[in-house]
Amino acid sequence: MSKIGEKKLGLFPLVFFAIGCMLASGVFTLSGDFAAAGAYTLATIIGWAITFIGMIALTMCYYRLSIAKPELTSGIYSYARAGFGSYIGFNAAWGYWMSAILALVSFFVAFFGNLGSIFPVFGGGANIISVICASVILWLFVLLLLRGVSQATVINAFVVIAKAIPIVFMVIAAIFAGAFKWDVFTDNLTGAGSGMSLFDQVKATIFTTVWIFIGIEGAVVISERAKDTKIAGRATVISFIALFLLYFIISALSMGVMPHDELASLAWPSMAGIMAAIVGPWGGILVNVAVFISIGGALFTYVILCTDSAFGPADQGCFPSIFNKKNKNNEPMYSIIFSALLVELFLVVALVNDAAFQSCYYLSTISIMIPYMLSAFYALKCCGNGEALQDISGGKKAWTWFFAILGSIYGVWMLYASSIAYVLVCALLYAPGMILYILRRKEEKDGPVFPKSYDKIVAAVLIIMFIIAIVLLANGTINPF
């Protein structure tokens, strides 16, 4: 039985894990989500170009850091902490954990929302019966995970293969059925008359493009389970390139099959409507089956990711030590249980607000943007002090600098493009974590609560933004759902 810190994973199991983290419901909705957000063909292409440059830069930052800093496992947290201190590091860990939890909630909403198209009792996926059923599944997965993660690795590999088959079939069918039409692809290329500028359309792609790559760092996050950190970095690069090509092809083909307005009006999941237009109703049914497989696999994968997102930081002294306690199977039972309890909390929030799948994944996306940005900033800092440039030649040094700078710019772009309203919503998610941070610092009894001079400033700004967000939320000025 695989246990944390014992059985080491090779390249392909880590690639499957990273792909399993990313290849989920987003691939079945991205074309419709782009169109519904207001992005026409040119804006979507530009959005993809920005995403490729930014995400490949982040990927290479993680890859280089995994080599230069092999002692820093659970990368998202450890990189931010090593670069900017315990409080900033804690926020990276907390944000990453919140993102994983909210992603899991969004998958539950999507799963039962899709089921609701067949059985109306489930509605849009966030009603009372959906939440009850989601809770049952959640705790069954928790019990399975408490027995040992080896089962999770095998199941995840199977699910990745199973859900990739119908996706590849969709691409082949679209090409050989001759469904792609160049005049449809180029019709109203810039969205003239839509009421949105090209720049605003490009910004509108940010949540979808970041969402479908959440999990890009999955192999690095569990690098302590890898045979070595180089393997974790390679797995991250391979999984990103493979999935980017797949996502872009699907998006481009979709825009040549249906005009923008038809894509925007498709029911969730939009790929089902696209497939139905290409090969008939059975194509839509095939996609819906793939959605069930995809989301089912994502549910289990993200229970694991939520656990690692709590256990890893606790193991390094970030979260309270209770998150580090293990059961008889050597699994971090409190990290598993507390993660599940938070998922339950957000399921109730989704129920109260009758939340849609897109609303949930927007929250997950905004939560992870700050950890991504901090990781890129740390890579840039390591270039500045030479730690990321050791044992590499002049050409590789230049590329390392290049990717660190690009990754940092992309980190800032993500927050800017998401709008001030969602930045304030992000504060709603981050500020409560300060309680957990203070508890841990008091548990350590090691110096002041905020060790760095800028920690108090960051904490004060976060509290102010939290209060502003509460006021705006109360008067209806902002509404994340």
Side-chain angles (χ1 to χ4, degrees):
M1 182 174 293
S2 175
K3 300 173 183 178
I4 290 180
E6 293 185 7
K7 187 176 181 179
K8 299 299 182 181
L9 301 177
L11 178 63
F12 287 107
L14 285 172
V15 168
F16 273 119
F17 185 90
I19 290 178
C21 289
M22 287 184 280
L23 185 58
S25 58
V27 68
F28 300 105
T29 68
L30 62 90
S31 298
D33 287 352
F34 281 141
Y40 283 74
T41 303
L42 182 58
T44 301
I45 293 173
I46 295 172
W48 276 122
I50 293 173
T51 300
F52 179 79
I53 294 170
M55 283 293 179
I56 196 64
L58 281 176
T59 300
M60 296 309 295
C61 285
Y62 283 121
Y63 177 59
R64 186 59 205 162
L65 287 172
S66 71
I67 297 173
K69 295 289 185 177
E71 72 278 8
L72 298 179
T73 56
S74 299
I76 288 289
Y77 160 68
S78 54
Y79 295 155
R81 184 188 191 189
F84 311 107
S86 61
Y87 180 58
I88 302 300
F90 169 85
N91 278 292
W94 176 265
Y96 188 80
W97 192 32
M98 289 299 100
S99 178
I101 287 167
L102 287 162
L104 187 51
V105 171
S106 71
F107 293 143
F108 274 124
V109 172
F111 184 84
F112 287 102
N114 197 29
L115 200 59
S117 64
I118 303 172
F119 304 103
V121 68
F122 293 108
N127 61 8
I128 185 66
I129 187 65
S130 298
V131 170
I132 291 173
C133 292
S135 299
V136 171
I137 294 173
L138 170 65
W139 291 101
L140 285 175
F141 282 159
V142 166
L143 291 175
L144 179 60
L145 188 56
L146 286 171
R147 295 183 58 189
V149 299
S150 58
Q151 297 148 316
T153 303
V154 173
I155 291 174
N156 184 61
F158 169 77
V159 170
V160 168
I161 294 171
K163 64 190 177 185
I165 291 173
I167 294 172
V168 173
F169 177 78
M170 180 267 178
V171 174
I172 294 174
I175 295 173
F176 286 94
F180 179 88
K181 306 295 183 183
W182 182 253
D183 58 334
V184 174
F185 183 80
T186 57
D187 181 52
N188 199 6
L189 194 68
T190 62
S194 67
M196 291 180 67
S197 68
L198 181 62
F199 184 65
D200 286 338
Q201 291 178 47
V202 172
K203 288 169 59 180
T205 67
I206 190 66
F207 281 109
T208 300
T209 53
V210 176
W211 163 250
I212 61 175
F213 282 113
I214 286 181
I216 188 176
E217 71 303 315
V220 176
V221 169
I222 62 165
S223 57
E224 62 181 3
R225 301 189 188 190
K227 290 182 179 178
D228 60 60
T229 52
K230 289 184 180 180
I231 288 178
R234 289 174 189 148
T236 303
V237 174
I238 292 171
S239 59
F240 166 75
I241 292 175
L243 287 180
F244 179 86
L245 291 174
L246 179 64
Y247 292 157
F248 181 78
I249 290 171
I250 290 172
S251 180
L253 287 174
S254 299
M255 290 185 293
V257 171
M258 284 185 174
H260 173 273
D261 291 348
E262 289 185 28
L263 280 175
S265 64
L266 287 174
W268 191 95
S270 57
M271 187 186 287
I274 297 167
M275 276 289 283
I278 296 172
V279 298
W282 67 270
I285 295 173
L286 179 65
V287 170
N288 278 300
V289 171
V291 168
F292 282 121
I293 295 174
S294 174
I295 298 176
L299 292 175
F300 197 71
T301 298
Y302 267 81
V303 171
I304 301 170
L305 194 59
C306 287
T307 298
D308 280 315
S309 300
F311 171 78
D315 196 41
Q316 297 183 24
C318 173
F319 290 175
S321 58
I322 192 172
F323 287 89
N324 200 25
K325 294 184 183 298
K326 300 178 183 178
N327 63 7
K328 63 181 181 180
N329 293 320
N330 205 31
E331 295 296 339
M333 62 180 297
Y334 289 108
S335 289
I336 297 171
I337 292 171
F338 286 151
S339 294
L341 289 173
L342 280 173
V343 172
E344 287 284 5
L345 172 63
F346 282 109
L347 281 172
V348 172
V349 172
L351 170 64
V352 172
N353 290 277
D354 192 24
F357 163 67
Q358 285 83 357
S359 299
C360 294
Y361 88 61
Y362 277 22
L363 294 177
S364 176
T365 303
I366 193 67
S367 298
I368 207 168
M369 287 180 179
I370 289 176
Y372 281 169
M373 181 178 65
L374 290 172
S375 295
F377 285 175
Y378 179 59
L380 186 61
K381 181 177 180 178
C382 286
C383 286
N385 60 27
E387 293 179 335
L389 307 176
Q390 297 177 359
D391 302 321
I392 56 176
S393 62
K396 289 184 178 180
K397 287 182 179 180
W399 278 111
T400 301
W401 268 106
F402 178 72
F403 286 126
I405 292 171
L406 275 184
S408 299
I409 293 173
Y410 184 63
V412 175
W413 161 257
M414 285 189 291
L415 288 176
Y416 169 74
S418 63
S419 80
I420 185 62
Y422 270 96
V423 172
L424 289 172
V425 169
C426 187
L428 284 174
L429 297 170
Y430 271 73
M434 196 179 302
I435 298 172
L436 205 66
Y437 171 75
I438 292 172
L439 288 175
R440 176 55 189 169
R441 291 296 295 171
K442 290 185 177 299
E443 188 178 76
E444 287 180 326
K445 298 178 180 178
D446 180 25
V449 172
F450 297 105
K452 300 287 186 179
S453 58
Y454 50 75
D455 287 343
K456 292 180 181 179
I457 297 174
V458 173
V461 169
L462 187 57
I463 292 172
I464 292 171
M465 291 176 64
F466 176 81
I467 294 171
I468 293 173
I470 289 291
V471 172
L472 295 179
L473 192 65
N475 65 25
T477 304
I478 61 173
N479 183 9
F481 296 102

